[in-house]
Amino acid sequence: MATESSEGDEESKIVVGNQQLVVEESLREMAKQAAWSVSSCKPGNGVLSLRDDNLESFWQSDGAQPHLVNIQFQKKVKLQLVVLYVDYKLDESYTPSKIAIRAGDGFHNLKEIKSVELVKPTGWVYISLSGNDPREAFVNTFMLQIAVLSNHLNGRDTHVRQIKVYGPRPNPIPHQPFQFTSREFITYSTVR
Amino acid sequence: METILNDCVQNSLRHFLYHNAIFMCERLCAEFPSETNSQLLAACYLQGNQAYSAYHILKGTQQAQSRYLFAISCFQMNLLSEAETALCPASEPSSEVPNGAAGHYLLGLIYRYTDRIRSAVNHFNQALSIDPLFWAAYEELCILGAAEEGTAVFGEAASLYVQKQYSANGLASQSMLASTENKNLVPAKNLNLHDPSPRQVKSMHGTTLKDNSANYHGTTLSGGASSNFVNGGFANMSFCSTPSPMAAQISAVAPPPIYRNMQGNGPNPSLLGADGSPRSTINSTMPAPRRKFVDEGKLRKISGKLFDSGPRRSTRLAGELGPSTGSNATSVTGNGTSHSSRYLGGSKLSSVSFRSVTFRKGQARTSENFDEGVQHESYDDSHQSMTSTTTSSLACDTKSLEEGILMATGGAIMSESQAITGASELVTLLAILGEGYRLSCMYSCQDALDVYLKLPHKHYNTGWVLSQVGKAHFELVEYLEADRAFSQARLISPYSLEEMDIYSTVLYHLKEDMKLSYLAQELVSTDRLAPQSWVAMGNCYSLQKDHETALKNFQRAVQLNPRFAYAHTLCGHEYVALEDFENGIKSYQSALRIDERHYNAWYGLGMIYLRQEKFEFAEHHFRKAFIINSRSSVIMSYLGTALHTLKRSVEGLVMMEKAILADRKNPLPMYQKANILASMENFDGALEVLEELKDYAPRESSVYALMGKIYKRCKMHDKAMLHFGLALDLKPSATDVATIKAAIEKLHVPDELDDTL
């Protein structure tokens, strides 16, 4: 992650985004199991553009701030990382500058878990959802909401080109308290 | 004019010039419309891969041979019900199945694919009784789990039967041979001892039935088959299907001039070739030359060598069939005429000598078929010098040990003694192979391996046997030995695709991504249309955890051959990895529909239900898998886990013990046992087991984590802390890190009850 964190444990400044999307192998993308929705959009630049793996297409909001992206799962899932692709060079005043991430059971009880401030980012921006406590490596939740609170240069609407959400891989062997790490165990652990 | 056209067609077929053959045959049919000529045309179409044309021509015909060819075309076009009615018309329930053993075999396949297992078994048994050297039928029986012991099937009776055939033939041929005494006629027999086909079929992985049937009938293989054909040159060889000679044999009354009748048409060596399906022709031509010219004198001389030839016969034949060896062989042939005989065209020897071609399926016992053994004999004779080449050809020989695609040409000049020794040797060889195959289908893999070791060296070092050995090791979870056997098999027959899907799974288990990707690339470049290549590709991607692409590849394999059960199972595994359980269940069930004895699919279903916490279902499915393969320690350990979740922990423990005994190298049952003991609150027992496990797998973090957990429950905080620390050092997955760290934090809150750590 290209993060320069400041002192405060609530906020961190992210100056530049990565061009490559590099994620640990132990994480996998969770977005397919979710229902995505946005608070508003311009026709032709809707929520599909957030998930189409195409960095040329983007979502453009069309309403009052804050602009929201809602990700709702059918069951409680463990989430660890949120990655956004934004580009100041292309979007200028549409580029988000303050982003808050909220989690909860539904629209009624979302609580903010992370807040970041971006400064002219170009590329993938990684936002980790882990707390400082090693016990809180994941956020276990039904719903995640990504709120764009303000944009660069005080723009009203925002462009986001892609969003990906990551969580841990499940244990390939059900009903095991721990996952196996050594080769001998893994070789014998399944029939293929 | 009719004969001229006929010769023309036969000649073209022999030389694999299907376009020419089809054209000339159409003229023949137009000029002299008759059912036999239509059969010839249909055969041309089948060999030229146009089963649909053959279908339309033969629709409604009644002659036995026509019905047989029609059934083959229906089978290749996947119109199983029509094929069935053709072979076994509902209106005449007691009519004889055309083409004897071949017909029964085809009917058996149809029943198998329409889920009428008992009738299928019945027909395969009948096919075997008509033709005791019918390997493909025996293979099918093994797959269905209904085979008798190899020594029983390929035993005395078979040997006697074969000898009888040969002596009968020998006499007949002697009479046939006009001026043959000096001519060396080699009864060529297309023995496709269905070896290849069995292999094909057997791999339930869909090798094409068509192949089998094709071989069987000498009809062309359908697309899938052709791919096999293409790939496994040798394997294909085996497929040399003789053109429906069977029918000819059976309806001795009016043997169609074309193939079968070699006897009648002395001067038609091409007939021999023509008979077989393209492949067979290939094969037949190759071996033919060799065979043919065995001097009578030589034959006698060679009778002494019968013994050696025994085991090598088939291999030799098979090997010889291999294109590469073929030429060598022929050149080496003492007879010299081999090359020319190959083309049969000109050599007078060939003209004189050709006898009818035998149909592959051993059915040909009727008259002309010479026993493979016999052929071998002649082979042997002619190729004394070729022993070395034959051994090399053995190397090329893929799986078709028994292939012996011999074109029976010419009268056999087999003497009785030759026939007897040849037959018994062949039968012993088949008995060993059959027994080995049967045992591996029953998953008594250790016994199967022992049986295969009894084979003579030359046979052991062939692609088929080595692949079977590899597969047996795979089932025993001995992946390193399996890897070794398979790589040797690949050295010997680099173009064979049989069982390569299993090899790719072995490499997947060993996590050898370099070797696996190399294998996959090689297979795809060998044949893009073979399902095994795509299975290997899929395994490659799956190893990289790219499950979506892996799934795509497995689906391609399924598309290429919908009867390939393993591809369906692998699709299921990928769906599960993607957490799409519904589709996973569907895939596993389609695999089971194709092959009920595919224990991997039962296991897969059990895993899904275990994940979904439907424990009863899980236990049921694991038990089914266990019944099929009772020696797999992995299945036993999962069955134990399922029992434990059903609160039948005592039974679960018993099962775990069995699993531990079954395979000392498998750490999983011990771990599960410790788990069960811990949940039954037998902490000391659990710790004991875990200590043992620590020695076995010192770098496994879950062992320490579990020990830490148990110590925590026993309130031995220091030890717990120590073990948690060790577990963390061994770099477990992120989830586990979180769990362990949380546990550590809670260690110092002794009052807190924390079941899940």
Side-chain angles (χ1 to χ4, degrees):
Chain A
M1 279 180 35
T3 320
E4 289 174 12
S5 43
S6 51
E7 307 333 303
D9 48 358
E10 291 281 329
E11 287 195 7
S12 40
K13 283 195 178 345
I14 304 181
V15 176
V16 77
N18 279 338
Q19 280 308 114
Q20 318 306 99
L21 177 60
V22 175
V23 173
E24 279 172 28
E25 240 202 41
S26 59
L27 297 178
R28 64 178 173 127
E29 238 246 299
M30 308 283 304
K32 291 216 179 54
Q33 304 161 20
W36 291 65
S37 57
V38 289
S39 57
S40 59
C41 72
K42 182 176 146 211
N45 297 84
V47 68
L48 283 176
S49 320
L50 282 176
R51 299 291 315 152
D52 59 359
D53 278 327
N54 182 358
L55 299 176
E56 310 291 325
S57 67
F58 50 80
W59 161 58
Q60 174 168 334
S61 64
D62 187 25
Q65 285 175 354
H67 307 299
L68 310 168
V69 179
N70 307 304
I71 307 169
Q72 290 166 288
F73 297 92
Q74 286 194 323
K75 51 183 176 123
K76 265 199 172 170
V77 293
K78 290 199 169 99
L79 300 171
Q80 194 175 355
L81 183 66
V82 172
V83 189
L84 303 155
Y85 189 90
V86 286
D87 196 338
Y88 181 74
K89 292 203 200 79
L90 295 177
D91 296 324
E92 294 185 345
S93 68
Y94 283 96
T95 316
S97 79
K98 257 200 164 163
I99 298 184
I101 303 198
R102 306 159 180 172
D105 295 331
F107 286 102
H108 55 279
N109 66 351
L110 290 173
K111 218 181 71 153
E112 186 163 306
I113 54 171
K114 192 92 178 188
S115 160
V116 292
E117 193 172 313
L118 312 180
V119 179
K120 299 197 182 156
T122 43
W124 296 98
V125 170
Y126 298 82
I127 307 177
S128 162
L129 300 175
S130 328
N132 288 331
D133 200 334
R135 267 181 290 178
E136 291 173 19
F138 312 110
V139 162
N140 206 6
T141 173
F142 272 105
M143 174 169 171
L144 201 67
Q145 186 180 72
I146 302 174
V148 176
L149 303 173
S150 65
N151 295 319
H152 280 77
L153 307 176
N154 282 325
R156 189 183 83 131
D157 290 320
T158 182
H159 283 177
V160 178
R161 290 174 180 263
Q162 195 73 354
I163 301 185
K164 289 192 192 282
V165 179
Y166 289 91
R169 279 188 201 275
N171 192 344
I173 302 131
H175 283 273
Q176 282 296 332
F178 302 102
Q179 294 190 20
F180 296 135
T181 57
S182 67
R183 206 172 106 161
E184 299 94 1
F185 269 75
I186 295 178
T187 310
Y188 282 102
S189 62
T190 53
V191 167
R192 187 163 172 88
Chain B
M1 175 154 141
E2 181 166 4
T3 5
I4 301 177
L5 272 175
N6 215 322
D7 288 351
C8 215
V9 174
Q10 297 296 352
N11 207 17
S12 310
L13 282 178
R14 250 188 16 161
H15 294 300
F16 309 106
L17 304 170
Y18 303 120
H19 190 66
N20 194 31
I22 289 174
F23 177 78
M24 294 308 267
C25 206
E26 267 195 324
R27 305 302 112 219
L28 174 65
C29 287
E31 188 75 27
F32 307 101
S34 79
E35 186 145 347
T36 37
N37 288 342
S38 328
Q39 286 172 9
L40 179 55
L41 181 57
C44 292
Y45 278 127
L46 282 171
Q47 292 193 22
N49 276 333
Q50 295 181 32
Y52 40 89
S53 318
Y55 174 85
H56 285 287
I57 294 174
L58 292 175
K59 197 157 182 136
T61 50
Q62 285 312 311
Q63 262 194 31
Q65 176 63 5
S66 319
R67 283 190 312 166
Y68 183 75
L69 288 175
F70 180 65
I72 299 237
S73 8
C74 290
F75 192 78
Q76 288 186 13
M77 291 166 65
N78 217 9
L79 301 167
L80 296 179
S81 49
E82 294 202 35
E84 188 186 339
T85 28
L87 286 175
C88 195
S91 49
E92 310 159 36
S94 56
S95 67
E96 196 183 311
V97 174
N99 280 0
H104 280 293
Y105 178 76
L106 183 56
L107 207 47
L109 286 175
I110 294 174
Y111 283 133
R112 179 176 159 211
Y113 287 120
T114 46
D115 272 340
R116 286 171 282 177
I117 307 288
R118 252 178 304 134
S119 326
V121 169
N122 184 18
H123 280 282
F124 287 132
N125 276 320
Q126 283 193 39
L128 261 181
S129 60
I130 297 179
D131 174 9
L133 292 186
F134 199 155
W135 170 265
Y138 185 68
E139 228 188 24
E140 284 292 327
L141 286 172
C142 290
I143 294 173
L144 293 175
E148 297 172 355
E149 271 200 31
T151 36
V153 173
F154 297 116
E156 277 306 303
S159 176
L160 290 170
Y161 184 89
V162 162
Q163 292 163 20
K164 222 169 16 130
Q165 289 297 338
Y166 268 87
S167 7
N169 282 343
L171 296 172
S173 45
Q174 304 243 337
S175 54
M176 296 301 289
L177 298 174
S179 48
T180 37
E181 330 60 71
N182 314 331
K183 313 298 182 161
N184 329 321
L185 294 177
V186 174
K189 202 163 53 148
N190 280 343
L191 274 186
N192 269 335
L193 277 197
H194 317 294
D195 243 357
S197 42
R199 226 137 326 138
Q200 303 277 337
V201 172
K202 147 206 135 69
S203 52
M204 304 191 235
H205 304 317
T207 357
T208 47
L209 281 185
K210 303 167 187 197
D211 269 342
N212 294 321
S213 20
N215 290 332
Y216 191 51
H217 321 285
T219 46
T220 36
L221 297 173
S222 52
S226 39
S227 63
N228 285 324
F229 187 48
V230 168
N231 304 324
F234 347 89
N236 288 334
M237 292 296 199
S238 37
F239 288 162
C240 287
S241 36
T242 14
S244 38
M246 303 194 258
Q249 306 301 354
I250 294 179
S251 49
V253 181
I258 318 156
Y259 327 52
R260 335 316 152 107
N261 202 86
M262 304 307 138
Q263 285 158 332
N265 303 341
N268 238 336
S270 48
L271 284 183
L272 290 172
D275 291 328
S277 40
R279 295 220 214 135
S280 44
T281 25
I282 299 175
N283 299 323
S284 39
T285 43
M286 289 212 249
R290 301 185 254 178
R291 263 178 282 167
K292 301 192 281 190
F293 306 93
V294 180
D295 263 333
E296 187 141 18
K298 254 189 181 188
L299 278 176
R300 296 209 197 93
K301 180 173 45 150
I302 290 172
S303 34
K305 303 187 195 167
L306 285 180
F307 295 95
D308 320 31
S309 53
R312 295 197 244 108
R313 260 178 279 134
S314 46
T315 36
R316 202 159 353 123
L317 284 173
E320 287 184 320
L321 293 178
S324 46
T325 46
S327 35
N328 294 340
T330 41
S331 44
V332 180
T333 317
N335 292 322
T337 38
S338 44
H339 289 290
S340 53
S341 54
R342 197 193 283 198
Y343 295 97
L344 295 185
S347 89
K348 47 183 168 146
L349 286 173
S350 39
S351 45
V352 184
S353 46
F354 294 116
R355 282 213 12 147
S356 49
V357 180
T358 48
F359 22 122
R360 343 186 173 189
K361 302 285 180 159
Q363 261 205 323
R365 288 317 154 78
T366 29
S367 28
E368 358 261 11
N369 323 35
F370 287 91
D371 201 34
E372 182 175 303
V374 176
Q375 280 166 317
H376 291 282
E377 305 305 334
S378 41
Y379 240 139
D380 226 314
D381 300 340
S382 34
H383 306 293
Q384 290 310 318
S385 48
M386 301 207 6
T387 24
S388 50
T389 31
T390 45
T391 28
S392 58
S393 58
L394 266 180
C396 319
D397 170 346
T398 32
K399 304 187 195 194
S400 38
L401 284 176
E402 322 291 316
E403 290 312 303
I405 299 179
L406 305 172
M407 290 296 284
T409 54
I413 310 180
M414 288 291 154
S415 61
E416 288 261 355
S417 58
Q418 289 175 355
I420 293 174
T421 27
S424 51
E425 287 179 26
L426 176 59
V427 164
T428 359
L429 178 66
L430 284 182
I432 300 180
L433 290 165
E435 187 58 15
Y437 189 73
R438 187 186 71 94
L439 287 169
S440 59
C441 279
M442 295 290 160
Y443 298 108
S444 336
C445 299
Q446 196 50 54
D447 303 327
L449 285 170
D450 296 331
V451 168
Y452 282 128
L453 284 173
K454 286 196 228 148
L455 277 176
H457 219 54
K458 296 180 159 60
H459 278 277
Y460 189 80
N461 281 330
T462 53
W464 192 81
V465 177
L466 284 169
S467 305
Q468 292 301 315
V469 167
K471 185 157 178 264
H473 279 299
F474 166 76
E475 300 291 351
L476 289 171
V477 200
E478 290 167 2
Y479 297 129
L480 290 166
E481 284 86 359
D483 182 13
R484 218 180 319 128
F486 274 120
S487 34
Q488 233 188 325
R490 276 200 77 69
L491 279 176
I492 293 179
S493 29
Y495 292 99
S496 160
L497 263 68
E498 283 288 337
E499 314 293 3
M500 286 303 134
D501 45 325
I502 306 274
Y503 186 29
S504 70
T505 308
V506 168
L507 291 174
Y508 171 91
H509 275 289
L510 291 172
K511 303 234 178 292
E512 300 254 17
D513 43 358
M514 280 287 292
K515 272 187 172 180
L516 180 53
S517 62
Y518 181 65
L519 174 72
Q521 298 285 352
E522 265 196 344
L523 292 178
V524 170
S525 65
T526 306
D527 184 6
R528 291 189 86 245
L529 295 177
Q532 290 92 342
S533 332
W534 296 108
V535 165
M537 269 297 189
N539 268 329
C540 209
Y541 282 109
S542 187
L543 191 56
Q544 312 291 336
K545 305 253 182 269
D546 183 355
H547 296 291
E548 310 218 333
T549 326
L551 180 62
K552 262 197 229 140
N553 282 307
F554 291 135
Q555 281 170 335
R556 255 184 226 170
V558 165
Q559 265 186 331
L560 285 170
N561 185 351
R563 298 214 180 98
F564 191 2
Y566 195 44
H568 285 280
T569 310
L570 287 169
C571 278
H573 289 318
E574 295 305 316
Y575 277 123
V576 169
L578 291 171
E579 306 216 321
D580 182 355
F581 297 128
E582 222 184 278
N583 278 320
I585 291 181
K586 275 200 217 135
S587 300
Y588 288 131
Q589 283 174 345
S590 11
L592 286 173
R593 220 178 306 133
I594 296 171
D595 180 10
E596 245 192 7
R597 298 191 74 244
H598 195 58
Y599 73 92
N600 314 53
W602 288 113
Y603 162 86
L605 282 170
M607 289 294 268
I608 290 184
Y609 290 125
L610 193 59
R611 228 182 256 277
Q612 291 180 327
E613 314 227 331
K614 296 183 182 157
F615 299 126
E616 294 274 355
F617 283 16
E619 192 261 339
H620 171 252
H621 288 93
F622 283 132
R623 198 169 280 285
K624 283 288 248 281
F626 176 61
I627 290 174
I628 295 172
N629 179 356
S630 355
R631 289 194 184 54
S632 164
S633 56
V634 182
I635 295 184
M636 283 194 256
S637 76
Y638 277 105
L639 184 52
T641 317
L643 286 167
H644 171 59
T645 52
L646 284 173
K647 311 276 184 259
R648 287 149 66 176
S649 308
V650 179
E651 295 178 41
L653 278 174
V654 168
M655 192 52 69
M656 288 303 174
E657 286 296 333
K658 267 171 98 171
I660 294 175
L661 283 174
D663 187 357
R664 286 249 131 232
K665 290 183 282 153
N666 185 353
L668 208 65
M670 287 198 266
Y671 185 82
Q672 303 283 30
K673 181 176 167 195
N675 223 350
I676 298 180
L677 287 170
S679 58
M680 281 166 49
E681 313 251 332
N682 178 356
F683 297 124
D684 297 320
L687 284 170
E688 219 179 286
V689 176
L690 286 172
E691 287 287 338
E692 220 184 296
L693 205 47
K694 244 198 330 193
D695 297 325
Y696 175 72
R699 308 204 64 77
E700 175 57 49
S701 95
S702 50
V703 173
Y704 293 105
L706 189 56
M707 288 178 84
K709 185 175 161 187
I710 297 177
Y711 282 124
K712 182 167 177 287
R713 289 288 291 276
C714 300
K715 310 265 187 259
M716 294 158 71
H717 294 298
D718 303 327
K719 290 211 135 179
M721 192 67 203
L722 169 67
H723 284 94
F724 281 141
L726 285 168
L728 281 174
D729 283 336
L730 291 169
K731 303 212 197 313
S733 71
T735 355
D736 291 349
V737 169
T739 336
I740 296 174
K741 285 194 176 158
I744 293 179
E745 304 253 322
K746 295 202 185 130
L747 264 184
H748 302 291
V749 186
D751 297 326
E752 195 172 333
L753 279 174
D754 186 24
D755 292 322
T756 57
L757 242 199

